[in-house]
Amino acid sequence: MDIHHPFGFDWGDLVAIFTLIGVVATYANFAISHAAKDTNRSDFEQLTASIAKLNETMIKVNMVLDSLKADRESTNRRLDKIETTVDRHDIQLARIEEHVITKEDKQ
């Protein structure tokens, strides 16, 4: 092997070959990273759209939950009023029964 002609090439040819290999490697690296950035950008845009839809859905769910809470509170108030009325009627019924029993005992 001749030191002035390694692998049968002149030094200028070897420099050209290594430069060509370097340029091809740099281009491949650039193409891969550019494709990765485009893919990441596309995925990020899809994720952003999905999050926006999820946010809209959560707003609607919160509105429905607030409506249900208001309905439940209204129902609870009505139930409390009905229970109060039933208690009053029970007391009146007990008084009437007591009055009837007292009249029966007098007879």
Side-chain angles (χ1 to χ4, degrees):
M1 185 161 141
D2 185 13
I3 200 159
H4 296 288
H5 300 289
F7 304 110
F9 295 107
D10 285 332
W11 283 106
D13 294 338
L14 286 175
V15 169
I17 290 171
F18 284 122
T19 302
L20 180 62
I21 291 171
V23 168
V24 169
T26 302
Y27 177 76
N29 184 24
F30 173 77
I32 290 171
S33 71
H34 186 67
K37 285 179 185 177
D38 287 345
T39 302
N40 285 341
R41 185 177 298 122
S42 168
D43 291 345
F44 184 73
E45 288 171 357
Q46 289 176 351
L47 180 62
T48 302
S50 296
I51 289 173
K53 288 179 184 176
L54 178 63
N55 192 25
E56 290 174 13
T57 302
M58 291 306 298
I59 289 170
K60 290 177 184 176
V61 167
N62 283 336
M63 289 171 48
V64 169
L65 287 174
D66 288 342
S67 174
L68 287 173
K69 181 181 175 185
D71 289 347
R72 181 176 168 88
E73 288 172 355
S74 172
T75 303
N76 284 342
R77 284 192 301 273
R78 288 179 43 217
L79 183 60
D80 288 343
K81 288 179 183 178
I82 290 171
E83 286 176 347
T84 303
T85 304
V86 168
D87 288 344
R88 274 189 284 128
H89 288 162
D90 285 344
I91 291 169
Q92 287 176 351
L93 182 61
R95 287 180 184 161
I96 291 171
E97 287 175 349
E98 181 182 331
H99 183 70
V100 168
I101 291 173
T102 314
K103 279 191 174 183
E104 286 178 1
D105 287 342
K106 289 183 181 178
Q107 291 178 356

